Amino acid sequence: MKPPSNVSPASSSHLAFALLWLPRERREDAMAFYRFCRTVDDIADEPGPTPRDRRLALDEWLRRIADAADPTLERLIGRYGIPRDLLAEIVRGCAMDVEPARFATVADLEAYCWKVACAVGLVSIRIFGCRSADSETYAVHLGYALQWTNILRDVGEDAAIGRIYLPLEDLARFGVSESEILEARPGLGFLPLMAHEASRARARFAAAVPPLPDRRALLAPEIMRALYLKILARLERRRFPVFAERTRLSRVAKLATAFAVVARTRWVR
């Protein structure tokens, strides 16, 4: 099987890369949804506008969703029966990124992850054509796993702009201060903390079991799972060098991973 013709070295987003392997019609709709997610995420992260302006821009997206004012989203809602509340939750999750983040407990961080990752997955499985109710459980567990891995990978980059996504209760448990992270001077408790958080991500990956009837429809998220498991393994193997580098996969590694997932999926009936 050949890779999609529009795979390019510039496909830096793992999600965008995974979506390229979908059948054409579903790929176009999935990419339209991805562009919505990318747009609201970029609004939250833009360094130029004031926090107030960014919140107003996100509020405008909430209005457009509620008032059925965006033609692209309305087409997706009509075609796939996407609940408006899920789209609104994604926007509300991005709004939580407007100012430097702190999450006191694991439950607080999971509430954030549900909005920015699990809700994305619950919309996506509708576009992918999933039919099994178990695919929703799969999407939620995988959403947590992917977002938790993102958080681990980006600890250094987030700290540079004043953000700490790791639960503060876990920092306290391992004797890690906020200043250690914000100033990129990790102490003795940092590696045990990161290993503990990695185990949370692995538990969610393990819980995300794709239901057999939807295995073919779940090709894109299974590619995502494989890519992020490689990132997580690399972080663990290199002892979480998050203040020195961003852990990445090469284009060759991404293609090889996707081919392996596609090959496995082809044998599923």
Side-chain angles (χ1 to χ4, degrees), residues 239-268:
R239 295 172 61 82
F240 304 99
V242 294
F243 299 110
E245 64 184 37
R246 180 183 177 87
T247 298
R248 303 176 186 274
L249 299 178
S250 69
R251 182 183 184 233
V252 171
K254 289 165 68 174
L255 285 170
T257 300
F259 276 129
V261 175
V262 170
R264 290 197 303 269
T265 305
R266 287 178 64 186
W267 295 103
V268 175

Side-chain angles (χ1 to χ4, degrees), residues 137-138 140-150 152 197-210 221-233 235-236:
T137 302
Y138 164 88
V140 169
H141 283 302
L142 186 61
Y144 283 128
L146 297 177
Q147 190 62 28
W148 221 273
T149 304
N150 261 337
L152 293 176
E197 303 304 337
S199 72
R200 292 190 190 278
R202 286 199 173 275
R204 288 292 190 173
F205 277 121
V209 179
E222 282 297 283
I223 290 174
M224 285 281 287
R225 177 214 290 270
L227 293 173
Y228 272 78
L229 278 170
K230 284 184 179 294
I231 290 172
L232 184 59
L235 284 166
E236 292 169 324

Side-chain angles (χ1 to χ4, degrees), residues 206-219:
V209 179
L212 190 58
D214 284 344
R215 283 295 295 269
R216 288 183 179 272
L218 292 170
L219 174 62

Side-chain angles (χ1 to χ4, degrees), residues 1-21:
M1 178 178 179
K2 294 181 180 180
S5 60
N6 49 348
V7 172
S8 75
S11 299
S12 58
S13 163
H14 293 99
L15 175 56
F17 174 82
L19 296 180
L20 293 175
W21 299 80

